Amino acid sequence: MSSKKSTPTQAFLYENKKSLNPITEEQQYVHDVYEKIAQHFSSTRYKPWPVVEEFFKELEIGSIGIDVGCGNGKYLDVNRNIYIIGADRSSNLIEISASRGFESLICDALKLPYRNECFDFVTSIAVIHHFTTPERRITAIKELFRIAKPGSKVLIYVWAMEQTESRRKFDENYQDVFVPWVIPADKNEKREEIVYKRYYHLFKKGELDELVLNTGLAKIIRSDYNKDNWYVIAIKK
Amino acid sequence: MRLVTHNMLQCHVKGCNSNNFPLQLSDVEIEIQETDFNPKFLRNMLSKLEWNALVKTALEINITTLPNVLPNDLDEEFLKMLHRVLLETHIKQGQMICPNCNHTYPIKDGIPNMLLSETET
């Protein structure tokens, strides 16, 4: 954690990551950060992305599925005709999701506590980019397909290196970066701005598709760019 | 946590690969929260459940209304009973114990915590 005066867009850091232990690194730069920023993060997460909303709305009535990395549960009530479990690694975010009346539980995306092929749909929105090694990203994707029924749809969204809509411009030499989360200063509480660093692996065009296809567990039916993210909709084989 | 969610869970401790489902419920506190009855949603959902595991788990929390075999003909009265058991019954506190390795997963304020320590993964 560091404290300094800057605007969110100026605060972007490009740091060449010299990998530590991936477990401790993800603990420090992903899990610990989300626990600390949960309230503020959640207050900024209320507008569903159209592609994701459409994915949920097209599902058959009575489908049972899971959103792995649901955060505050912003997608869990998009379609009231499906049964959806929200899962996240952050207990503070899951408490917010549960307090909104959503089915919520705490688990790790690398080791999902569900039966093989038990879900009619699986989503992973803005999660896989937080894993620090290719092996861990592949493991997380394989887990999504392990719990999906054959023939079911899996939606995966990750942050793109190529961000056209935002003011962020990433240096393509650095795919592994720290992206700050800025909690603004509060004059009433005499608190200065707080900047937390979050780890991201920025996906280049085609990279997510390659990871999905290399699992051999699914075929891709749609692959596109949307809202500064690459996404894939795949069918479990 | 509802019983539908529980029906999907299995133990995932390293090396615990058989007899790891369903997790046994213990020391539970239950709360009923009413919700809209949607028969079509319920009918479609039923075929996706592991029925035997559901019956077994329900008995552990003293719900004795589920038949051992799901009938073919689901009348409204039966669906309303299922609606109560599957969608309105929430496990607020308690724990889930793996029948194979005895690992215990806590449920607190309705939220199961399925994280393992590093040595268990």
Side-chain angles (χ1 to χ4, degrees):
Chain A
M1 189 182 91
S2 64
S3 184
K4 61 179 177 183
K5 286 187 177 136
S6 58
T7 65
T9 44
Q10 287 170 328
F12 272 77
L13 306 167
Y14 303 104
E15 295 185 17
N16 198 0
K17 189 178 67 72
K18 288 276 175 276
S19 192
L20 313 159
N21 176 335
I23 296 170
T24 53
E25 193 171 40
E26 286 165 18
Q27 185 66 45
Q28 181 179 356
Y29 294 111
V30 181
H31 307 319
D32 288 351
V33 175
Y34 278 107
E35 288 297 70
K36 285 175 185 149
I37 70 174
Q39 277 299 339
H40 183 246
F41 178 82
S42 176
S43 69
T44 67
R45 292 295 183 278
Y46 46 87
K47 203 175 160 190
W49 290 339
V51 171
V52 183
E53 193 172 6
E54 187 188 307
F55 178 89
F56 285 120
K57 285 191 168 162
E58 284 177 352
L59 294 164
E60 197 182 317
I61 184 170
S63 297
I64 299 179
I66 185 161
D67 184 16
V68 178
C70 68
N72 67 353
K74 81 167 176 175
Y75 291 109
L76 302 185
D77 62 351
V78 164
N79 180 351
R80 303 299 295 266
N81 279 323
I82 57 173
Y83 185 96
I84 176 162
I85 301 169
D88 206 281
R89 180 72 167 65
S90 162
S91 56
N92 287 344
L93 283 170
I94 273 298
E95 277 170 25
I96 295 170
S97 171
S99 72
R100 298 167 72 187
F102 304 143
E103 198 68 12
S104 309
L105 62 78
I106 304 164
C107 71
D108 190 324
L110 290 176
K111 212 148 185 319
L112 295 171
Y114 312 98
R115 294 187 280 113
N116 296 345
E117 304 185 343
C118 71
F119 290 118
D120 300 311
F121 65 92
V122 178
T123 58
S124 165
I125 315 296
V127 174
I128 306 292
H129 52 221
H130 285 314
F131 291 107
T132 56
T133 68
E135 294 75 22
R136 291 166 76 80
R137 293 190 280 275
I138 290 165
T139 300
I141 290 172
K142 279 185 179 167
E143 275 292 86
L144 300 174
F145 291 124
R146 177 183 67 79
I147 62 173
K149 282 181 194 166
S152 66
K153 279 186 190 170
V154 177
L155 171 67
I156 306 172
Y157 254 80
V158 292
W159 253 30
M161 167 70 85
E162 306 86 351
Q163 304 218 355
T164 54
E165 290 181 34
S166 80
R167 285 172 293 175
R168 295 183 284 259
K169 287 284 170 282
F170 292 114
D171 180 340
E172 64 180 37
N173 295 314
Y174 298 107
Q175 249 187 304
D176 298 286
V177 300
F178 290 119
V179 176
W181 183 270
V182 181
I183 298 181
D186 187 328
K187 281 181 186 163
N188 295 333
E189 288 186 22
K190 291 187 177 169
R191 184 177 49 69
E192 285 190 38
E193 178 184 276
I194 308 172
V195 181
Y196 294 100
K197 290 194 286 184
R198 288 179 301 168
Y199 169 84
Y200 276 79
H201 174 78
L202 303 170
F203 279 73
K204 289 184 176 173
K205 185 177 185 180
E207 190 179 343
L208 176 62
D209 304 54
E210 197 179 318
L211 289 185
V212 167
L213 292 176
N214 282 349
T215 66
L217 300 173
K219 63 173 189 200
I220 294 173
I221 56 166
R222 195 164 150 191
S223 163
D224 207 346
Y225 176 88
N226 178 249
K227 302 264 175 198
D228 299 327
N229 287 264
W230 294 110
Y231 74 90
V232 156
I233 299 177
I235 302 273
K236 162 75 177 279
K237 283 182 189 169
Chain B
M1 179 186 71
R2 295 177 171 99
L3 290 182
V4 177
T5 300
H6 175 274
N7 199 255
M8 305 298 147
L9 293 174
Q10 68 176 15
C11 184
H12 58 302
V13 168
K14 192 174 185 181
C16 185
N17 300 318
S18 61
N19 188 31
N20 55 352
F21 164 82
L23 300 173
Q24 187 196 333
L25 287 172
S26 165
D27 301 325
V28 298
E29 268 175 47
I30 284 172
E31 192 178 285
I32 302 293
Q33 293 169 21
E34 294 197 347
T35 183
D36 294 341
F37 178 59
N38 182 341
K40 191 176 180 202
F41 167 71
L42 199 53
R43 277 177 197 275
N44 281 9
M45 205 173 63
L46 285 178
S47 62
K48 302 161 191 300
L49 300 173
E50 285 287 333
W51 185 260
N52 292 342
L54 178 71
V55 174
K56 187 179 176 199
T57 304
L59 286 172
E60 285 166 5
I61 56 173
N62 300 318
I63 295 172
T64 56
T65 47
L66 300 182
N68 284 331
V69 179
L70 185 63
N72 289 326
D73 182 30
L74 306 170
D75 61 26
E76 176 138 328
E77 192 189 350
F78 185 78
L79 284 174
K80 283 201 164 153
M81 180 277 292
L82 280 178
H83 175 72
R84 172 55 63 115
V85 173
L86 294 176
L87 298 172
E88 297 189 324
T89 304
H90 294 258
I91 296 151
K92 300 301 282 187
Q93 314 290 341
Q95 48 192 18
M96 296 180 282
I97 304 163
C98 173
N100 183 45
C101 76
N102 290 324
H103 185 84
T104 300
Y105 300 93
I107 305 164
K108 198 168 158 266
D109 300 326
I111 302 170
N113 187 335
M114 307 303 290
L115 295 179
L116 300 171
S117 69
E118 261 178 59
T119 53
E120 293 161 335
T121 55

